[in-house]
Amino acid sequence: MPEGPELHLASLYVNRMCEGVVFAGPVRKSEVSKSPDVPFTCEAYRITATSRGKEVKLTLTPMKSDEPKKRVKEGQADQPMDIVVRFGMSGFFRFTTEDELPKHSHLRFYSKETPCRVLSFVDARRFGGWQPGGTWQPDRGPCIMFEYKSFRENVVSRLADHAFDRPICEALLNQKYFNGIGNYLRAEILFRLNIPPFVPARTVLEGLESDDLCENKKLVKTENTDKKASDRAKQKKVKGETGDLLRLCHTVPLEVVHLGGKGYDPEKRDYSDFEAWLQCYYVDGMKSIRDHNGRTMWFKGDPGPMVPKDVKSPKKKGRAKKEDDHDYTAKKKVTKSRSGSTSKRKAVKQETVTKTLQKEKDVEKEAGSKRRKTEKTGEVNTPQHKRASTARRRKGSSAEPTIPGAQTRSGRVTRQSSR
């Protein structure tokens, strides 16, 4: 899902591509989109964009005519309109010719030129949307990147909120306090600070100040002479020497922004530099489990005491479709291992059965050979052979009655026949 840095880069993309371009006519939306129509029509207007957390605001500004007495036609806009866009899971902007219009372009702005070009909001999954005449959502907190001071104050002053009873990894996704943080950013921030993802959020954030002393270039004392503060620091074992989490919520997203178009590039789709920048999210050797909301959390080491019960590692999806066939998840590995061990057990069992059958065949073959030898030489079975034969008959058929003296009579008959 696009996060704060991606939406800011999207706004930069719109400003760069639309600079000097005059748009005209109505704003159109696709028939399949459930977002509202944009009641804006103008003979000439410009488009600019700005971002705040996980929202982008497009401003449509009508151009003033050079003729002062010329009136605006009926139905034509004469005042600017703001359209607040939220990207959902897969939204982004594209600026193309009309012939190259993307398949899933759901909101379109047409330029006043020939051939015509189109700025379009593309959203394949349709989880995103827009609000014409809208403003920033009031339940979203200050932007983590460009409203840093307000962001810190908003978090530090409201640590008593129940939102901070949750694990820190889940609290970081609360846009009321961390507007712009998403799945990959929370993983990278916690990894760099060596904070287990499932420790209480309040425990990690307690003790942080509303003002970032390093940001204000103030000296920070390394020695703590206050005994009470020292005792309080000892009690906060989880926090320890983890650093300032709120500061990294500000600086880590800016690192992605500084990657430039290589982090958000709707034209070339080149994410190699961004993938090289990642240290934890989808990185080999890291662990991943689902949090209480079903979102995948990537981390290293101990997850922490608030890890969900009966948690399972999610299926790892490749970033590119080409890699899907070569990607083996933990679940697949377990299945493969189990199937391999099962095959081994089957092979051992089959081998045991084969050996047993072979032994029985050898015994029968040996017994047959002895019988043929006895018949050829005329030897008479000894009582020992008779007892063994009788025992075998008893073992083979337990329903056969045992008659006293049967062996003696059988022996007499044998002697008489031999005479």
Side-chain angles (χ1 to χ4, degrees):
M1 178 179 180
E3 304 180 19
E6 285 72 41
L7 271 79
H8 178 65
L9 289 168
S11 68
L12 297 181
Y13 172 82
V14 170
N15 291 334
R16 183 174 71 253
M17 302 305 294
C18 297
E19 184 178 5
V21 178
V22 178
F23 294 84
V27 178
R28 302 175 187 173
K29 75 159 191 171
S30 65
E31 296 179 355
V32 297
S33 175
K34 295 182 179 180
S35 294
D37 293 325
V38 178
F40 184 91
T41 301
C42 188
E43 291 183 347
Y45 66 95
R46 297 189 184 278
I47 299 178
T48 56
T50 184
S51 70
R52 182 178 186 265
K54 286 192 176 183
E55 295 178 301
V56 170
K57 181 190 292 183
L58 298 179
T59 301
L60 315 184
T61 306
M63 297 178 63
K64 294 182 179 180
S65 174
D66 295 334
E67 301 178 12
K69 295 183 179 181
K70 186 176 181 180
R71 295 182 178 180
V72 178
K73 294 182 180 180
E74 186 177 353
Q76 298 289 314
D78 60 347
Q79 296 296 324
M81 173 181 280
D82 292 331
I83 304 173
V84 177
V85 184
R86 301 172 189 95
F87 282 24
M89 292 291 292
S90 58
F92 61 91
F93 287 109
R94 288 290 300 272
F95 191 61
T96 64
T97 63
E98 192 172 10
D99 295 335
E100 298 174 340
L101 198 65
K103 180 179 179 182
H104 299 286
S105 57
H106 297 300
L107 188 65
R108 300 185 288 271
F109 308 86
Y110 292 82
S111 68
K112 188 178 182 179
E113 58 187 347
T114 303
C116 179
R117 291 184 292 173
V118 185
L119 174 69
S120 56
F121 174 66
V122 185
D123 186 12
R125 297 188 180 185
R126 283 186 275 166
F127 289 161
W130 56 85
Q131 186 63 46
T135 57
W136 305 122
Q137 283 184 321
D139 57 345
R140 289 180 179 268
C143 179
I144 54 172
M145 296 181 291
F146 305 110
E147 299 172 322
Y148 179 46
K149 182 176 177 60
S150 300
F151 155 66
R152 285 189 68 97
E153 291 178 352
N154 186 48
V155 174
V156 173
S157 63
R158 290 175 171 82
L159 287 180
D161 195 315
H162 291 299
F164 299 103
D165 295 338
R166 304 182 67 86
I168 184 61
C169 67
E170 296 176 13
L172 285 173
L173 295 185
N174 190 332
Q175 300 302 296
K176 182 178 179 180
Y177 297 104
F178 299 91
N179 186 13
I181 297 292
N183 219 21
Y184 83 80
L185 281 177
R186 67 170 178 173
E188 295 299 316
I189 293 168
L190 294 177
F191 173 78
R192 295 188 185 195
L193 295 175
N194 196 28
I195 297 177
F198 293 96
V199 296
R202 190 175 293 105
T203 304
V204 177
L205 297 170
E206 279 180 341
L208 297 180
E209 301 293 337
S210 297
D211 292 330
D212 188 342
L213 300 181
C214 293
E215 185 72 13
N216 296 332
K217 297 182 180 180
K218 294 180 180 180
L219 296 176
V220 180
K221 294 182 179 181
T222 57
E223 295 182 4
N224 189 353
T225 57
D226 189 348
K227 185 177 180 181
K228 293 183 179 180
S230 178
D231 293 340
R232 187 167 59 250
K234 290 180 181 179
Q235 293 175 358
K236 298 176 182 177
K237 295 181 180 180
V238 177
K239 183 180 174 184
E241 299 177 355
T242 55
D244 193 328
L245 183 139
L246 296 179
R247 184 186 305 138
L248 262 71
C249 287
H250 168 67
T251 58
V252 172
L254 288 177
E255 290 181 15
V256 181
V257 172
H258 293 155
L259 292 175
K262 296 177 182 178
Y264 175 86
D265 193 349
E267 291 185 324
K268 298 180 180 180
R269 303 290 182 96
D270 180 13
Y271 301 106
S272 57
D273 283 8
F274 174 71
E275 292 178 357
W277 172 84
L278 293 171
Q279 299 180 27
C280 178
Y281 185 75
Y282 264 96
V283 174
D284 291 338
M286 298 297 161
K287 302 176 184 178
S288 65
I289 56 178
R290 296 193 187 278
D291 62 19
H292 293 88
N293 298 318
R295 300 292 300 278
T296 303
M297 178 65 214
W298 292 83
F299 64 99
K300 182 180 180 180
D302 181 26
M306 299 181 71
V307 64
K309 296 180 180 179
D310 301 327
V311 68
K312 294 182 180 179
S313 296
K315 186 178 290 185
K316 184 178 179 181
K317 298 179 181 179
R319 293 191 183 92
K321 291 183 178 179
K322 294 180 181 179
E323 299 176 359
D324 286 347
D325 295 336
H326 306 284
D327 182 31
Y328 294 95
T329 65
K331 184 177 180 181
K332 289 181 180 178
K333 289 179 180 179
V334 170
T335 305
K336 186 175 180 181
S337 176
R338 287 177 179 174
S339 62
S341 60
T342 304
S343 300
K344 289 181 180 180
R345 288 197 297 271
K346 288 182 178 180
V348 172
K349 186 176 181 181
Q350 184 65 30
E351 185 179 356
T352 304
V353 172
T354 304
K355 289 182 179 180
T356 303
L357 293 174
Q358 186 64 36
K359 287 182 180 180
E360 292 178 355
K361 287 182 180 179
D362 293 342
V363 171
E364 291 178 358
K365 186 176 180 180
E366 184 178 357
S369 176
K370 288 182 179 180
R371 284 197 300 271
R372 287 193 297 272
K373 185 176 180 180
T374 302
E375 292 174 357
K376 189 173 181 180
T377 57
E379 293 181 357
V380 180
N381 291 335
T382 63
Q384 183 179 0
H385 289 151
K386 293 174 186 177
R387 286 194 297 271
S389 177
T390 303
R392 280 195 297 272
R393 285 199 302 272
R394 289 177 180 173
K395 186 176 182 180
S397 177
S398 59
E400 194 173 291
T402 304
I403 304 174
Q407 294 182 4
T408 306
R409 289 195 297 272
S410 176
R412 292 174 181 172
V413 173
T414 304
R415 285 195 296 273
Q416 288 177 1
S417 61
S418 62
R419 290 177 184 174

